[in-house]
Amino acid sequence: MRAQTALFVAVLFGVTLYASVCNLLLPQDSVFYVSTYTVTLMGKYLCYALLALAVDVIWGYCGILSLGHGAFFALGGYVMGMYLMRQIGDRGVYGNSELPDFMVFLNWQELPWYWCGLDHFWLAALLVLLVPGLLAFGFGWLAFRSRVAGVYLSIMTQALTYALMLAFFRNEMGFGGNNGLTDFKDILGFDLQADTTRVALMLCSALALGTAYLASRLILASKFGRVILAIRDAEDRARFLGFRTQDYKVWLFVYSALLAALAGALYVPQVGIINPGEFSPLNSIEVVVWVAVGGRGTLYGAVVGALLVNYAKTRFTGVMPEAWLFALGSLFVLVTVCLPKGLAGLLSRLGSRRRRLAAVDA
């Protein structure tokens, strides 16, 4: 397990450092040059990998299939987007130093109270975790104490993100309505279009993913993690042994939501927009597909699944945009039927077979 973790961290930081050096230090006509577009795409993929890791923690290790983690991802992204909008100042289309352009267009006279203070990065960073964390705690506390489980819980998580999507589509909410938040200029005083900023954001995404991976490994290898596995395999037995299983599930759900929110906060400055479409239940279902393809209950499998599926999506949506969703659905069915443990399970099976053959030869 330690060797696996060390390999994961080494590959993660090796690839991102290579891309950073080749982007900043090599000329564009060099065969080893990595374009800024590729760096930005890698940063986006790393955010998706962090989101997949969050889903794997709660689904693969606790058996809770959440179809609403896109809500926490989008909430983290919206808080970061609000901070970035406040950084625009009077450089917007209407030149209003206090109100974002969409508020001026809608004839808002003053900044809503929940936007106040978000011109400070420290407050935005705090709210990125606090808002989704409180929502996850409230939802988890009500659902798990009521012993809602299985498909019913999955439907409830999907209803949660759908309700938030409908709410954020309304202009009256003060989050940009259908268009969302966009036209960001800088972050912490650094130009978002600069190559150095793009590289820095990609490295921050890699650091967040690596830290989350290590933290998740430590949590799941602890006594808390062993109880979580017991809850997944036999919750009634764990409850009869005296464990308050609902409390364990609530706190793991909150931890998973915080990872998803962090992924959303890192995603927004790299793609340059956040809108209610990120709340779409389809997005949350797609994350489950990433985890299933990579192999749930392994952590690294979720990361690999997110990277591979999104790379394929980038390639194939340009070739067959109408058929991509059918291809994604077929992939999910194929993996479910032929590779129930995903690519990670296939690799594990091949490794076990190789070891058996080596033992026979010896």
Side-chain angles (χ1 to χ4, degrees):
M1 192 66 69
R2 290 182 179 179
Q4 184 186 93
T5 302
L7 178 62
F8 175 87
V9 173
V11 171
L12 174 64
F13 288 105
V15 171
T16 51
L17 285 174
Y18 172 82
S20 303
V21 171
C22 292
N23 175 263
L24 296 177
L25 301 182
L26 295 182
Q28 294 188 15
D29 57 355
S30 172
V31 68
F32 297 106
Y33 175 74
V34 177
S35 67
T36 303
Y37 169 78
T38 303
V39 167
T40 303
L41 200 61
M42 288 178 62
K44 185 173 77 168
Y45 288 169
L46 292 173
C47 294
Y48 286 152
L50 180 55
L51 176 59
L53 182 72
V55 172
D56 191 30
V57 165
I58 196 71
W59 182 35
Y61 288 89
C62 197
I64 300 172
L65 177 56
S66 172
L67 298 179
H69 259 54
F72 307 121
F73 178 84
L75 285 174
Y78 260 99
V79 174
M80 179 55 68
M82 292 163 73
Y83 163 76
L84 295 173
M85 289 296 291
R86 294 301 309 274
Q87 299 306 298
I88 296 175
D90 58 5
R91 291 174 291 174
V93 174
Y94 298 100
N96 191 308
S97 60
E98 288 295 323
L99 299 180
D101 284 339
F102 73 88
M103 290 186 184
V104 179
F105 179 78
L106 294 173
N107 295 319
W108 288 54
Q109 300 302 313
E110 59 182 4
L111 199 68
W113 63 268
Y114 45 86
W115 278 75
C116 296
L118 280 171
D119 51 339
H120 300 292
F121 181 80
W122 67 268
L123 181 59
L126 177 64
L127 291 177
V128 160
L129 300 178
L130 187 62
V131 173
L134 288 175
L135 176 64
F137 179 80
F139 177 87
W141 190 86
L142 292 172
F144 299 135
R145 285 184 176 273
S146 301
R147 297 189 181 180
V148 179
V151 66
Y152 301 104
L153 181 65
S154 299
I155 292 173
M156 287 177 61
T157 58
Q158 195 171 44
L160 173 67
T161 189
Y162 187 68
L164 287 170
M165 182 183 73
L166 295 180
F168 274 71
F169 264 121
R170 297 173 59 88
N171 286 325
E172 296 84 353
M173 289 287 289
F175 295 110
N178 183 56
N179 295 322
L181 309 177
T182 188
D183 196 29
F184 310 131
K185 307 295 184 185
D186 50 48
I187 180 170
L188 292 172
F190 297 98
D191 182 9
L192 279 173
Q193 303 306 317
D195 291 352
T196 51
T197 306
R198 294 286 180 175
V199 168
L201 288 170
M202 180 192 67
L203 290 175
C204 287
S205 301
L207 179 61
L209 177 59
T211 304
Y213 185 88
L214 292 174
S216 300
R217 278 288 181 212
L218 289 174
I219 290 172
L220 295 170
S222 66
K223 178 183 176 181
F224 179 91
R226 291 193 291 273
V227 175
I228 287 296
L229 292 177
I231 292 172
R232 180 194 66 184
D233 297 335
E235 183 174 359
D236 288 339
R237 183 175 297 178
R239 188 181 297 115
F240 293 152
L241 289 173
F243 293 104
R244 295 174 60 86
T245 58
Q246 66 273 17
D247 293 343
Y248 285 86
K249 292 163 73 174
V250 167
W251 289 115
L252 189 70
F253 191 73
V254 170
Y255 171 73
S256 177
L258 294 179
L259 295 183
L262 180 59
L266 290 166
Y267 171 84
V268 168
Q270 297 184 82
V271 300
I273 188 172
I274 178 73
N275 60 43
E278 295 296 340
F279 285 103
S280 172
L282 181 62
N283 290 356
S284 297
I285 295 173
E286 192 172 328
V287 179
V288 172
V289 175
W290 303 344
V291 177
V293 169
R296 68 188 182 102
T298 59
L299 294 184
Y300 74 89
V303 173
V304 171
L307 296 177
L308 289 179
V309 174
N310 279 286
Y311 177 76
K313 182 178 181 180
T314 300
R315 290 294 182 184
F316 290 117
T317 48
V319 179
M320 49 177 191
E322 296 85 1
W324 163 246
L325 286 178
F326 294 100
L328 183 65
S330 301
L331 177 65
F332 183 58
V333 172
L334 179 66
V335 168
T336 302
V337 174
C338 301
L339 296 173
K341 294 185 179 181
L343 295 176
L346 176 62
L347 292 176
S348 177
R349 195 164 58 196
L350 291 175
S352 299
R353 182 180 178 184
R354 191 182 301 112
R355 286 191 294 271
R356 286 198 302 269
L357 292 175
V360 170
D361 293 339

